Amino acid sequence: MSRQTLTGGPRLRLPAHRASSATLAGAYPFLFAPSLTTGTLVGTDALSGEPFCFDPWDLYAEGVLTNANVLLAGGISEGKSALAKTLALRSIAAGRRVYVPGDPKGEWAPVAHAVGGIVLQLGPGLPTRLNPLDTLAGEPPVVHAHRLRLLLALAATALRRDLTAAEHTVLDSALTAAAHAASARDASPTIPDVITALDARQVNRAEGGDLGHGLGRLVRGELAGMFDGPSTYRLDLHAPMAVLDLSALGNDDHGLELAMTCASAWLDAALTTAPTLHGAAPRRWVIYDEAWRLLRFVALIRRMQLQWKLSRAYGIANLMILHRLSDLDAVGAAGSEARTLAGGLLADCATRIVYRQENDQVAATATTLGLTGPERELLAALPRGVGLWKMPGRSHVVRHHLHVDELPLVDTDAAMRGEPEHRPLEVAP
Ligand SMILES: Nc1ncnc2c1ncn2[C@@H]1O[C@H](COP(=O)(O)OP(=O)(O)O)[C@@H](O)[C@H]1O
Ligand SMILES: [Mg+2]
């Protein structure tokens, strides 16, 4: 038998044909993935004109997605937050719950108010305090490991360097002592408890001293009163939505990174201890708007990745919003641990939505996401509110539609136009 018989006969020799995707869609409809028509309505599939719906849990259950997490990247003011907010609003109508662990711009409060959700404002002089070391669900060694990971991330971020093995050990034993003392009063340890324990074991002053100084950022200065004692609030898990508003913190980027990390750790603890509803965990979105702020330090990426692995067990879908995919590359040199971790985070998002990218970002984005030539050309030309949705084995160009009632809740242009702020919709209690 000749080789040609095995490989299916002589090759066709046809001239290459090029056509726009709109023409091709008509000529070869079977080449385009049919629109997704179950779940929360997002808008329309720009190629077929059909409604486009999305529900990461259902798609995961159907085997379309390998996980429920979503990455959303796009330039400033392209409509990323508007998409996330309407997904939140519409999912809540379908019985989902939504959590925003850190809202640095204070733009999510109207959304939470509109659905009768909770807004916790954190900031200098404000009464709410959350303990990031509040207990997670789990056996004591699991709880200890989570708390230690958080403390390591906070200390490394505050000191802006990786911790040494010796510092790691000192922090571990200080946490054990702090937790032991706290359990005697039937409470979770606090950051000041850990600092006290660090002070007490300053056998090697250099190690303990630097750590105490780093964690001290959460106790003194701008962050004082926010994360340095027992929580003053217990999350009402029946509320449809909860937002941790960090806008009062202003523009101190470094403080904001620490605050967002603490806030998300507190929320994790609250969500993982949630009682199940009728035996099943409710399906919950955790939305990290402006997540690029959390991805600038390897310690924070490491923590986020582990936290995402955990969230799968609790029916949580994470939505991470960035400006560009290179935010994930900026964390370290090629081949470094940071880059590997960032790549892992991207791999943990089976759905990638890309809004318009600056020209200088297009090539890198196309390579990272494995875009086709036409998709790549599209990237720099997408109008506001239109995104490329990539899922394993399928892509869609989706025009996100806003309902007139949603407009005031997603409008972030009002300030630019010099208009007074929209009042949030009043919701009957
Ligand atoms: N699909 C859309 N249709 C019409 N206007 C939109 C759409 N998406 C966003 N906008 C408007 O664009 C502005 C910027 O959107 P926003 O979501 O805040 O941008 P980003 O988060 O990407 O910076 C908002 O005022 C919003 O009302
Ligand atoms: Mg935004």
Side-chain angles (χ1 to χ4, degrees):
M1 211 185 314
S2 77
R3 191 164 173 273
Q4 202 171 49
T5 323
L6 281 175
T7 52
R11 277 220 217 131
L12 279 176
R13 290 186 191 281
L14 289 176
H17 175 72
R18 292 183 75 126
S20 75
S21 49
T23 313
L24 278 174
Y28 300 105
F30 47 85
L31 286 182
F32 289 81
S35 188
L36 297 172
T37 48
T38 54
T40 306
L41 180 70
V42 175
T44 46
D45 186 309
L47 295 182
S48 68
E50 283 183 76
F52 179 89
C53 305
F54 183 69
D55 182 282
W57 296 277
D58 287 350
L59 292 172
Y60 176 70
E62 288 165 19
V64 175
L65 296 177
T66 46
N67 60 59
N69 301 323
V70 180
L71 173 99
L72 168 54
I76 293 168
S77 216
E78 293 298 338
K80 302 181 297 299
S81 299
L83 174 64
K85 287 169 192 165
T86 49
L87 269 178
L89 287 163
R90 297 171 193 177
S91 308
I92 287 168
R96 315 291 193 227
R97 309 237 163 106
V98 176
Y99 301 91
V100 181
D103 170 19
K105 294 183 175 171
E107 55 178 298
W108 281 82
V111 182
H113 287 136
V115 294
I118 300 157
V119 179
L120 288 180
Q121 264 204 309
L122 289 156
L126 295 175
T128 307
R129 190 175 53 201
L130 303 177
N131 180 8
L133 299 177
D134 266 353
T135 308
L136 284 149
E139 296 298 312
V142 178
V143 173
H144 179 83
H146 272 99
R147 287 176 176 157
L148 181 60
R149 212 171 284 130
L150 172 70
L151 289 170
L152 290 168
L154 290 172
T157 307
L159 296 172
R160 293 187 179 276
R161 62 167 174 81
D162 263 340
L163 303 186
T164 63
E167 284 173 331
H168 197 295
T169 312
V170 171
L171 197 51
D172 194 343
S173 84
L175 173 62
T176 305
H180 186 71
S183 70
R185 40 174 218 272
D186 205 18
S188 296
T190 61
I191 303 252
D193 291 342
V194 176
I195 296 176
T196 307
L198 277 171
D199 286 343
R201 51 181 39 67
Q202 282 207 2
V203 203
N204 184 337
R205 291 196 79 80
E207 272 115 33
D210 248 14
L211 285 173
H213 177 72
L215 293 177
R217 276 221 57 181
L218 292 157
V219 177
R220 294 184 293 270
E222 209 191 8
L223 299 179
M226 294 172 64
F227 303 107
D228 54 0
S231 299
T232 56
Y233 179 83
R234 209 183 153 82
L235 187 65
D236 172 6
L237 292 156
H238 296 287
M241 182 164 183
V243 172
L244 304 185
D245 180 343
L246 300 174
S247 57
L249 266 176
N251 287 328
D252 168 13
D253 272 358
H254 200 202
L256 208 53
E257 277 147 20
L258 293 169
M260 281 178 88
T261 306
C262 287
S264 71
W266 174 82
L267 191 69
D268 276 355
L271 293 182
T272 56
T273 47
T276 54
L277 288 182
H278 314 300
R283 291 174 167 182
R284 297 171 289 193
W285 278 111
V286 175
I287 300 178
Y288 297 87
D289 204 346
E290 306 278 313
W292 53 273
R293 292 179 189 274
L294 285 176
L295 300 177
R296 289 193 289 184
F297 292 96
V298 62
L300 298 186
I301 301 180
R302 201 181 286 139
R303 211 194 76 80
M304 196 145 170
Q305 214 192 0
L306 288 161
Q307 174 191 331
W308 283 31
K309 297 242 178 292
L310 182 81
S311 65
R312 188 185 293 234
Y314 290 92
I316 289 170
N318 296 287
L319 168 57
M320 172 166 84
I321 306 181
L322 306 175
H323 289 151
R324 39 187 176 253
L325 289 173
S326 59
D327 287 341
L328 288 172
D329 292 341
V331 294
S336 62
E337 186 213 355
R339 282 285 281 277
T340 310
L341 283 167
L345 209 50
L346 180 67
D348 271 341
C349 296
T351 306
R352 291 94 180 258
I353 309 167
V354 203
Y355 274 30
R356 197 178 74 81
Q357 297 278 295
E358 295 302 331
N359 284 329
D360 64 350
Q361 294 295 320
V362 170
T365 308
T367 311
T368 310
L369 298 184
L371 301 187
T372 62
E375 286 173 346
R376 182 191 165 122
E377 279 168 35
L378 198 67
L379 223 51
L382 287 167
R384 179 189 260 184
V386 181
L388 175 64
W389 291 56
K390 298 285 289 178
M391 287 166 236
R394 60 194 304 147
S395 22
H396 299 273
V397 179
V398 178
R399 187 178 299 278
H400 168 224
H401 291 288
L402 288 169
H403 186 271
V404 63
D405 288 344
E406 292 170 335
L407 275 173
L409 304 176
V410 304
D411 186 5
T412 50
D413 276 351
M416 297 290 284
R417 292 192 300 264
E419 293 168 12
E421 266 186 61
H422 284 284
R423 273 170 56 79
L425 292 184
E426 295 298 336
V427 178

